[in-house]
Amino acid sequence: MTDRIDERLVAIGERAKAAARKLAFAGTQAKNQALSAMAEALLAHKERILEANALDIKAAQEKGLRSSLVNRLLLTEKAIEGMSNALQEVVNLPDPVGGGEFWTRPNGLRIQKSRVPLGVIAMIYEARPNVTVDAAALCLKSGNACILRGGSEAIQSNIVLAEVIKEAAVRAGMPEGSIQLVTLTDREYVLQLMQMNKFIDVIIPRGGAGLIQSVLENSRIPVIETGTGLCHAFVHHKANLEQAVEIVFNSKTQNPGVCNSLETLLVEEAIAEDFLPLIGERFRRFGVEIRGCEKTTGIWSEAVRAKQEDWGTEYLDLVISVKVVKDLDEALDHIYQYGTKHSETIITEDYSAAQRFLNEIDAAAVYVNASTRFTDGNRFGFGAEIGISTQKLHARGPMALPELTTVKYTIYGNGQIV
Amino acid sequence: MTDRIDERLVAIGERAKAAARKLAFAGTQAKNQALSAMAEALLAHKERILEANALDIKAAQEKGLRSSLVNRLLLTEKAIEGMSNALQEVVNLPDPVGGGEFWTRPNGLRIQKSRVPLGVIAMIYEARPNVTVDAAALCLKSGNACILRGGSEAIQSNIVLAEVIKEAAVRAGMPEGSIQLVTLTDREYVLQLMQMNKFIDVIIPRGGAGLIQSVLENSRIPVIETGTGLCHAFVHHKANLEQAVEIVFNSKTQNPGVCNSLETLLVEEAIAEDFLPLIGERFRRFGVEIRGCEKTTGIWSEAVRAKQEDWGTEYLDLVISVKVVKDLDEALDHIYQYGTKHSETIITEDYSAAQRFLNEIDAAAVYVNASTRFTDGNRFGFGAEIGISTQKLHARGPMALPELTTVKYTIYGNGQIV
């Protein structure tokens, strides 16, 4: 921890707080106009963005970054159009600010419970540059000022993206300080940011377990944990095995680099000899590495032996750990021990096994006979999300616009006393 | 911070976690039967409770504790009946667990968003022994296991109270470990408790600013801040002055020891000469000490001069700080600087001034022409509360039963993949 805060960060904090006071009253129309202007600006500055991104990609390759990480950094013309479209989608979402309930107490007091912005939100995230645009848009739509601190690998892309959308937003009438990027890449400044509870209302880390842990341990600002997903699938002995293959394969391979992808497969012993060759063959053809327990390697010899740490590893890659378990109880215990309370799925045709799994697993999203990849704001029908919360306070699961607000009670009296 | 956790605390944590897993499925009827049994047990053990309380009172007097603090400790036969009645009221509140929403996605996935208990809640509170009973009851009704750590001054009372209600709950079928009191009074153990994120899901400090600050700085567990209320009343120049006197007097004196009582009065300059003598006289007769700014003491000579630290002090006593301000803007700035975002009230007949105050004050509860003392779960119509949250995440304002739960998504599929 540190008590000294760099004056450039203090200046960012002050500007954000001043902007937040005004943003709280920005009308829906004004905010939507700014979002549309941001969407257009991205398209208008495509070239500049691609040039900046090329610098990041070059630096990453020179540093010898893994190709899956380099791919996460890469922006294409299509990706920029995607970010622009995402902004337009935020325009179409309902404004979460202002609505609420209203009631009158027997003494005549009229109490209004309405939704107001949180204030200043700091996002700390890793490689993906599109988070810069997505986070800024969701914060703006919900009336919050944002302070963005992306990963150093994407710094050139983020500088240009933030500049482009911020200029467009300010030109459309949003206060200066509504959208700010911290360009100080040294890790020390992240620690300082986490001490700025005078200026920042909430801090949202989005990234790997190391980042989340560091924020949880160092932040003096309330935190919403997002993005650590060590998700499990349990194939019960009464599963439809063909369906199980499809669900497990989809959960693992459809987009392995995201938090709702599958990391560990648990297979009930009674069907392990039937099921493992089916999924093993499917994984082999797709190039997925299997790290299995002793029983797994005994049945599917192409699997390598898992080490103890594999059960607690979120690979975010074409690797999966596989364990043969005696029964549902052992599966529940394993998930209880290693899960991150994100998304878990059981594949079974057995009613009582499904119900026990749904009830006893303590996670944001618990599935029967479906892919873990559905845990997502859009796929749940909420619209764009700022992350998947794996904590229990405030927000759990996909965090969309309403989760970026808080409540405020306004009470109209005419002289009531207690 | 500390990394070593006493094995007695670890044992408490393990018992709580085991209990929480079962409590999550306890039916409403079973929980209500336990609450009724607890209510009866309090009455049956009145004598034992009063004897234990007498020990606390004696120790407090020997230590020379302020009489207002000794009074907060005191239990009478009537107070015990009050705690018993409060338990019966919790029986009558709706169960917050299990309800929720349900929808079907275009691909046939059925998503259920239901409310589930938070898990294990640790309450850290100061003198008042009734918190032991209230907190245990609200946690039990919402399906949470609780770990209670009251102030050392009330330790004898708390030990007996916790024993009586816990035994009754367990006899009525609730799991061992549902209700546990930490009897280790050394402050070091509170620090250790705050590191037990393996066992505790949420920590709720309830007490003075020092306690809250210590928890915020040291806890590795998500915190809900409650109970710091530096509340302001602003008497605008278009106020009905008679009404203003009643509201200010009531806010300050009706129960000065609680968080929603008034601490600072702001008076608009234009009416200060008319208003200060009215409220000054009323306060004088009731024995309220006034600490005023220069202008205040100039008008009401019985006031003493406020020191700088008075504006930031939550007296919780028959003391009030009074400042004459130029206008609404100065009042808003003063509250912005010194308020704790709890409850603020404006007294005015001016529509636009009222609207500006309601909109621009950032607090859990903002009033026009009513006493700040209404910020309370029962007075808002929510039923019993576990505290008044002054933070923005998860819960803001009175925290009743729904705020002691979180959400869980359960998703029913039949083979859906992405």
Side-chain angles (χ1 to χ4, degrees), chain B residues 332-345:
Chain B
L332 291 171
D333 286 344
H334 183 97
I335 295 171
Y336 184 75
Q337 188 171 357
Y338 296 105
T340 54
K341 305 192 176 183
H342 190 299
S343 301
E344 316 290 357
T345 188

Side-chain angles (χ1 to χ4, degrees), chain A residues 209 228-232 252 262-264 291 307-316 319-321 338 340:
Chain A
T228 331
L230 204 161
C231 305
H232 298 78
K252 177 70 249 179
L262 185 66
E263 305 294 2
T264 299
R291 302 191 186 167
K307 297 196 185 86
Q308 178 55 36
E309 65 255 38
D310 279 304
W311 310 116
T313 301
E314 190 186 358
Y315 303 113
L316 296 169
V319 182
I320 192 166
S321 47
Y338 297 105
T340 54

